Amino acid sequence: MPDELVDRFRTIPPATIGHLLAEGFVDTAIRPIFGPVSLVGRAVTARMPRGDSTLTRPAIRAIQPGNVRVIAQGGDTQVANWGEMTSLGAKMRGAAGVILDGSVTDVVEIRQQGMPTFARAISARVGRGRGLPGGAINEPVEGGGVLVRPGDLVLADDNGIVVM
């Protein structure tokens, strides 16, 4: 998708798209951890096994300016694989935001950083580098009931998330 088309979508909220489309909307349980917030960008994906934070650093290194990091954690609400330092790393790489079908921690610090972050849950329990099978970077992932491919356009605000 050309950059100029991505830029045009910056003025269109997901709720407006909801008047036109019925598919591509992420589970409404995935919410911003602070607001008001909005983001538009191309998806870079990661699949992380529940409780396994092994791929967090490679996931950060794969971010290009303006990307939206989409992390599929299988809807884990108990163990966070994203927090203050990973958010800071994403911000330093120029990420437009982060969407997790899983848990996040360090919400006060992420809010202070101003990194738009959406998650299914908040948890003080933090994942560990376990090297479990099933993890992947920049492959199609299922997040919040939607197939997300690297390069897909992601729009998100306080009303919800749509992937196109």
Side-chain angles (χ1 to χ4, degrees):
M1 181 174 296
D3 289 341
E4 60 194 40
L5 188 56
V6 173
D7 287 340
R8 288 183 185 171
F9 273 99
R10 294 188 197 291
T11 63
I12 304 172
T16 299
I17 294 170
H19 289 281
L20 305 170
L21 299 178
E23 296 180 2
F25 292 87
V26 172
D27 185 344
T28 58
I30 300 175
R31 304 291 309 148
I33 63 168
F34 66 88
V37 65
S38 66
L39 62 84
V40 174
R42 291 180 186 88
V44 288
T45 63
R47 182 175 40 256
M48 295 186 193
R50 292 179 180 210
D52 186 353
S53 63
T54 302
L55 291 179
T56 54
R57 287 187 179 103
I60 292 167
R61 287 192 296 269
I63 294 171
Q64 298 295 315
N67 287 161
V68 177
R69 167 54 65 201
V70 177
I71 300 173
Q73 290 178 262
D76 188 355
T77 61
Q78 300 302 308
V79 182
N81 282 346
W82 197 265
E84 175 186 12
M85 298 312 292
T86 47
S87 179
L88 180 60
K91 183 175 183 168
M92 299 301 291
R93 301 278 304 173
V98 179
I99 298 171
L100 298 102
D101 188 355
S103 299
V104 65
T105 194
D106 303 328
V107 295
V108 171
E109 294 81 2
I110 294 171
R111 183 181 309 120
Q112 289 171 344
Q113 293 170 5
M115 174 56 69
T117 303
F118 294 71
R120 184 173 293 277
I122 297 168
S123 176
R125 189 172 161 204
V126 179
R128 305 279 186 261
R130 294 186 164 98
L132 297 173
I137 304 269
N138 278 342
E139 292 183 6
V141 299
E142 189 277 322
V146 174
L147 178 65
V148 183
R149 294 174 220 78
D152 282 354
L153 183 63
V154 178
L155 292 85
D157 68 12
D158 296 282
N159 292 309
I161 305 164
V162 64
V163 178
M164 300 189 301

